[in-house]
Each structure stands twice: as structure tokens, then as C-alpha cells.
């Protein structure tokens, strides 16, 4: 039997893939009653909540894992994606100019940060390639998801407030839209961030919101199956992508709020699921 869900949620990692107890999957298991589903080519258990019209399919960490999982779903017979809204829900790094820790971002563009040209200190797009490695997501879907997420009460934490002090940042978590840069390299620091900015500038993108590891793989797979216009990416900021002014990136990279990021990502993601579920 083929399932026809209203919404497919794609978290990335379970606690089995990450040191400590961080999991983008477990909060969903607490919110819905799921049954298991076997999908060939998907490493992690796929679950469905029949009463909610929801399928939960963890992708694994990184672009290759995300692309493989989404392709297995799209090509297989277990789950029909034709009419489903497909949502990545997880954590991300945030550019300090774009927002603060705990904030939720709905991506309007996805940039592949790995396919690039480096000449000396300059980073840019590969100018001899015909295709840009940027995906523009459906503006109506992005706007609808961001509107729903904006009505969600987001959590905050003392730990996040302490980290913000080093950045002279007194903001509270909010919801916004903006481009996300995806790469298999975890970067942190002003120098690395400048290279990301340079790549995005070469694509005509003058401001970046978040950085993560799966969305370009997901977008690639969905585009090839004609499903990109059904895709939403919801990410909550778990760390800043660079050190504070005068700070040490080796120290600041250790300061994160993964639990807060996951909590707010799932709060916003669950509200969007309810909006799009029949």
C-alpha cells in the first residue's frame, strides 16, 4: 500500500549520529503517534502518523545523505510525494547580522556552498558552469510558512542570553526569511564566513541568513523529481557562524544552544505541519 501524506518532514540527525543527546527526530516522536514504515534506501526508520497526514523521514547528516533519502522516497512505492508539502526542519548556524540564537528562518533560497571556484583568497561561482547552484524556493509557500511560524511562541534560554552578551546582542528569538547556505564543511569564523559571503556575492546574493548541511542535497533531489515547488526549509539558529568582535573562533565554536534550536525549529515546524495537513 502506498501512503499519500499531506506533509513529509525531513529532520537530519538522531541521537545515534551526534555526540550527546541532541536529536532532531525525538521531539516529533513526542508530539505524534507514529507507525513504522520500511523504505528501501533510507537508513533511518521512516514513520507515519495516519491521523495527522504526516510522514517523518530522517535524512542523515550532509548533502549526500539528504539527496539519497529524498530520492529513495520519491522513486519508491512506499510514499507518494505528488501532493505532499515537503519540509526540512532542523538547526542551523546563523549570521549575526541576520538574527540571533533561537530565531527561526524559513529559507527563500538555497545555495550550495561547496561547488565553487577558489583563486588565491577569492571565492566565487564556477563561471564555466551553465547552471547556478542556487535554488529559489516557491515564494507563496515560503510566505505562507513564515506567516504561520510567526504566530508561534518561541523559547529562549539563559545560556543563549549569555552567549549573546559576547556579541553585544540583546535580541530575542524571532521568525524571518532569508537565504541558507548548505555545505558539507562545518565552518565557523570571520575568515571562513567571508569566503561564504564572497561566493554568495558572485550569485548576486548580498545577505545570508543561515548555514546548514542538507538543504542543497534535498533541493537537488526534489528538483530532479519535479517536486521543488513543494519544498519548505525551516531552520532555527543553534550557534553563530563566526566569533564575536575580538573573539577567538576556537572558543566561540564550542558555544551553542542545540537544545533551544531544536525546540524552536520543531515548534515552528509543527505549526506549519498543522497548516498544510488536511
Amino acid at each position: 500500500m502506498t501512503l499519500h501524506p499531506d506533509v513529509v518532514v525531513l529532520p537530519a540527525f538522531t541521537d545515534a549520529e551526534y555526540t550527546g543527546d541532541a536529536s532532531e527526530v525525538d521531539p516529533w516522536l513526542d508530539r505524534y503517534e507514529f507507525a513504522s514504515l520500511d523504505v528501501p534506501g533510507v537508513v533511518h526508520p521512516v514513520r507515519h502518523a495516519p491521523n495527522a497526514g504526516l510522514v517523518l523521514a530522517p535524512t542523515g547528516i550532509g548533502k549526500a545523505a539528504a539527496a539519497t533519502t529524498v530520492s529513495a522516497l520519491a522513486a519508491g512505492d512506499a510514499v507518494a510525494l505528488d501532493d505532499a508539502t515537503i519540509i526540512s526542519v532542523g538547526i542551523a548556524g546563523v549570521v549575526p547580522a541576520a538574527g540571533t540564537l533561537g530565531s527561526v528562518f524559513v529559507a527563500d533560497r538555497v545555495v550550495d556552498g561547496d561547488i565553487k571556484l577558489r583563486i588565491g583568497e577569492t571565492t566565487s561561482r564556477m563561471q564555466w558552469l551553465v547552471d547556478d547552484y542556487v535554488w529559489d524556493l516557491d515564494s507563496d509557500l515560503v510566505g505562507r510558512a513564515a506567516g504561520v511560524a510567526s504566530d508561534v511562541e518561541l523559547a529562549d534560554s539563559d545560556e543563549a542570553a549569555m552567549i549573546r552578551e559576547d556579541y553585544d546582542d540583546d535580541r530575542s528569538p524571532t521568525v524571518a526569511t532569508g537565504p541558507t547556505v548548505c555545505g558539507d564543511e562545518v565552518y565557523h569564523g570571520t575568515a571562513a564566513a567571508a569566503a561564504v559571503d564572497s561566493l554568495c556575492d558572485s550569485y548576486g546574493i548580498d545577505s545570508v541568513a543561515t548555514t546548514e548541511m542538507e538543504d542543497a542535497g534535498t533541493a537537488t533531489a526534489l528538483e530532479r523529481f519535479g517536486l521543488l515547488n513543494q519544498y519548505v526549509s525551516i531552520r532555527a539558529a543553534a550557534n553563530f557562524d563566526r566569533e564575536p568582535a575580538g573573539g577567538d573562533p576556537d572558543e566561540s565554536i564550542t558555544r551553542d544552544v542545540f537544545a533551544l534550536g531544536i525546540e524552536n525549529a520543531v515548534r515552528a515546524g509543527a505549526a506549519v505541519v498543522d497548516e498544510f495537513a488536511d
Side-chain angles (χ1 to χ4, degrees):
M1 182 181 70
T2 300
L3 295 178
H4 294 266
D6 299 311
V7 182
V8 176
V9 170
L10 305 171
F13 60 84
T14 69
D15 54 8
E17 294 176 297
Y18 203 89
T19 301
D21 57 359
S23 170
E24 292 180 344
V25 175
D26 287 352
W28 294 98
L29 304 183
D30 295 335
R31 285 176 176 264
Y32 298 91
E33 185 173 340
F34 287 102
S36 295
L37 180 69
D38 181 44
V39 180
V42 180
V43 174
H44 300 292
V46 176
R47 298 175 173 91
H48 65 105
N51 294 333
L54 170 65
V55 163
L56 183 73
T59 62
I61 296 172
K63 292 188 296 181
T68 302
T69 297
V70 173
S71 294
L73 287 169
D77 297 326
V79 180
L81 302 182
D82 309 65
D83 299 317
T85 302
I86 302 156
I87 310 175
S88 291
V89 180
I91 58 174
V94 64
V95 177
T100 195
L101 299 179
S103 289
V104 171
F105 294 86
V106 181
D108 54 9
R109 280 178 161 182
V110 177
V111 181
D112 191 325
D114 291 319
I115 300 178
K116 56 184 175 285
L117 173 66
R118 290 183 186 267
I119 302 176
E121 299 301 316
T122 302
T123 303
S124 66
R125 64 183 293 272
M126 289 187 179
Q127 298 172 4
W128 58 83
L129 295 182
V130 173
D131 293 329
D132 289 343
Y133 284 81
V134 178
W135 293 264
D136 294 313
L137 303 187
D138 184 89
S139 59
D140 291 337
L141 207 58
V142 170
R144 185 177 170 192
V148 171
S150 295
D151 291 333
V152 174
E153 181 179 353
L154 299 179
D156 205 351
S157 70
D158 292 340
E159 184 179 6
M162 290 177 60
I163 297 172
R164 291 189 195 111
E165 288 180 1
D166 291 342
Y167 290 80
D168 295 324
D169 180 2
D170 60 359
R171 294 170 292 180
S172 299
T174 57
V175 175
T177 61
T180 186
V181 176
C182 177
D184 286 321
E185 173 189 66
V186 176
Y187 80 84
H188 180 83
T190 301
V196 172
D197 289 340
S198 178
L199 172 63
C200 290
D201 285 343
S202 72
Y203 282 123
I205 299 171
D206 59 7
S207 61
V208 176
T210 59
T211 172
E212 37 71 32
M213 299 182 68
E214 291 81 33
D215 290 1
T218 299
T220 298
L222 291 175
E223 183 177 51
R224 292 190 180 189
F225 283 93
L227 300 167
L228 185 63
N229 65 345
Q230 298 166 221
Y231 180 51
V232 179
S233 171
I234 299 171
R235 299 273 179 174
N239 60 282
F240 290 113
D241 78 331
R242 66 199 73 189
E243 75 276 15
D248 179 357
D250 287 331
E251 188 276 332
S252 59
I253 195 175
T254 66
R255 307 188 70 190
D256 57 61
V257 286
F258 275 26
L260 175 65
I262 292 171
E263 172 67 24
N264 282 346
V266 175
R267 285 190 186 191
V272 174
V273 167
D274 289 343
E275 169 72 11
F276 288 100
D278 185 2

